[in-house]
Amino acid sequence: MPISPTTSSVDQAIWTARQTVRLGEESRTQSSAVASQVQSGDAQQSKLKEVGQQFEALYLRQMLEEWMPKDSAELFGEGTAGSVWRSMLADQMATTLSKSGTMGIAQLIMKHEPDGSKGQ
């Protein structure tokens, strides 16, 4: 006489198998959620760094344009061309300085206060 499991033991085995599969799916879902949060955090940090560098470049550009001599036609040229050349040079210098991180203005913008006050 063959031994056949009772209906209740078969149902219990199926239920257990389904729970195991669901737990596996939940852990994959949770791990993918954590991975997406890490990626979004990295993307947010990257965006914050970019914005900080853009602000630093804007600030440095204004300072450099004021510091550059306005009456040196020999260096920049005369008229509108000279002022455009001076502005382009200040823009390039400001962008390079902000990307190098030597001034530190972008780092100050990106800095988070430990108590959450954000510099207030």
Side-chain angles (χ1 to χ4, degrees):
M1 175 171 189
I3 301 175
S4 63
T6 62
T7 307
S8 63
S9 63
V10 171
D11 289 340
Q12 186 177 14
I14 291 171
W15 182 83
T16 304
R18 285 183 181 162
Q19 294 304 313
T20 305
V21 170
R22 286 183 186 153
L23 289 175
E25 290 173 357
E26 288 175 5
S27 67
R28 279 193 297 266
T29 303
Q30 289 174 352
S31 65
S32 67
V34 169
S36 67
Q37 286 176 351
V38 168
Q39 288 174 350
S40 68
D42 290 343
Q44 184 179 11
Q45 188 70 16
S46 174
K47 184 68 174 171
L48 186 62
K49 181 179 179 181
E50 182 182 338
V51 169
Q53 286 178 345
Q54 289 174 355
F55 176 77
E56 183 175 358
L58 175 70
Y59 181 73
L60 290 173
R61 184 177 310 116
Q62 290 176 349
M63 286 185 3
L64 288 170
E65 284 182 359
E66 289 298 318
W67 289 343
M68 288 185 175
K70 295 179 180 27
D71 60 345
S72 61
E74 302 86 32
L75 181 62
F76 298 118
E78 295 180 11
T80 306
S83 63
V84 169
W85 169 248
R86 189 175 69 240
S87 176
M88 288 172 58
L89 181 64
D91 183 44
Q92 188 62 39
M93 288 174 59
T95 302
T96 303
L97 281 171
S98 69
K99 286 185 179 179
S100 70
T102 56
M103 300 301 288
I105 298 170
Q107 286 83 8
L108 288 174
I109 293 171
M110 292 172 34
K111 182 181 173 186
H112 292 285
E113 297 297 322
D115 62 353
S117 63
K118 295 186 180 180
Q120 296 176 353

